Amino acid sequence: MSTTVSRRAFLKMTGVAGGTMLLAGCGFIDSIRGIPETGLPQIENAWSYDGSTLSLDLSRLPEIQSLGGAVRIEGEALPAPILIVLGENGEYYAFKNACTHGGRMIDPVAGTMTLQCCSASKSTYDYDGNVISGPAQGPLTSFPLTLDGSYLLIEV
Ligand code: FES
């Protein structure tokens, strides 16, 4: 025996009003919309770019002061958006923040030393940029970097 429930009755039963999804703000919805977990710097003037070197003042970037942390660096002066990660191994990594499948941004996956695209397809890469899974078309672009005191210098 089947029971038919009208849309209005369903919304009333589930507490969903006006078509608003209960899942709004969850990881699944963010992946549909292509919203990354990694944020922009909380403190202004934490970085500069001279046309070839991106200079990050680590003392002003709490986002990458703990193992597994990450921050997005974006700006019109930069040739591409950059994702900076402090891996759980204590090493810094810098990537062009664009999945090689459809260009969505990427995030580190806690505890795995991997990166994952924020799309629903979730291409996954290792910290060398190599594709582990998903429809990615090739490796992520990574940028060479050096530590100079409290500054991280990235050749972009
Ligand atoms: S944009 Fe990353 S898997 Fe499609």
Side-chain angles (χ1 to χ4, degrees), residues 99 101-104 117 119 121-123 135:
C99 177
H101 176 234
R104 293 282 178 88
C117 163
S119 78
S121 299
K122 295 198 175 303
S123 284

Side-chain angles (χ1 to χ4, degrees), residues 91-153:
E91 299 288 327
Y92 286 100
Y93 299 86
F95 303 96
K96 179 178 178 181
N97 199 356
C99 177
T100 60
H101 176 234
R104 293 282 178 88
M105 287 186 268
I106 52 177
D107 294 302
V109 181
T112 67
M113 293 286 290
T114 65
L115 305 157
Q116 199 165 64
C117 163
C118 68
S119 78
S121 299
K122 295 198 175 303
S123 284
T124 303
Y125 306 85
D126 65 22
Y127 277 11
D128 290 325
N130 299 311
V131 180
I132 296 173
S133 64
Q137 304 294 305
L140 288 174
T141 299
S142 58
F143 300 104
L145 51 80
T146 55
L147 258 178
D148 183 8
S150 66
Y151 284 82
L152 188 63
L153 307 175

Side-chain angles (χ1 to χ4, degrees), residues 34-102:
I35 298 174
E37 294 177 11
T38 305
L40 296 165
Q42 298 167 13
I43 301 174
E44 290 185 23
N45 303 319
W47 62 273
S48 62
Y49 182 63
D50 68 4
S52 62
T53 303
L54 173 61
S55 178
L56 303 179
D57 181 350
L58 295 174
S59 69
R60 299 175 66 83
L61 286 165
E63 298 87 352
I64 49 174
Q65 291 174 1
S66 301
L67 298 180
V71 68
R72 289 165 29 212
I73 303 295
E74 300 171 4
E76 289 182 15
L78 287 169
I82 311 291
L83 175 73
I84 316 296
V85 177
L86 175 56
E88 278 107 359
N89 61 355
E91 299 288 327
Y92 286 100
Y93 299 86
F95 303 96
K96 179 178 178 181
N97 199 356
C99 177
T100 60
H101 176 234

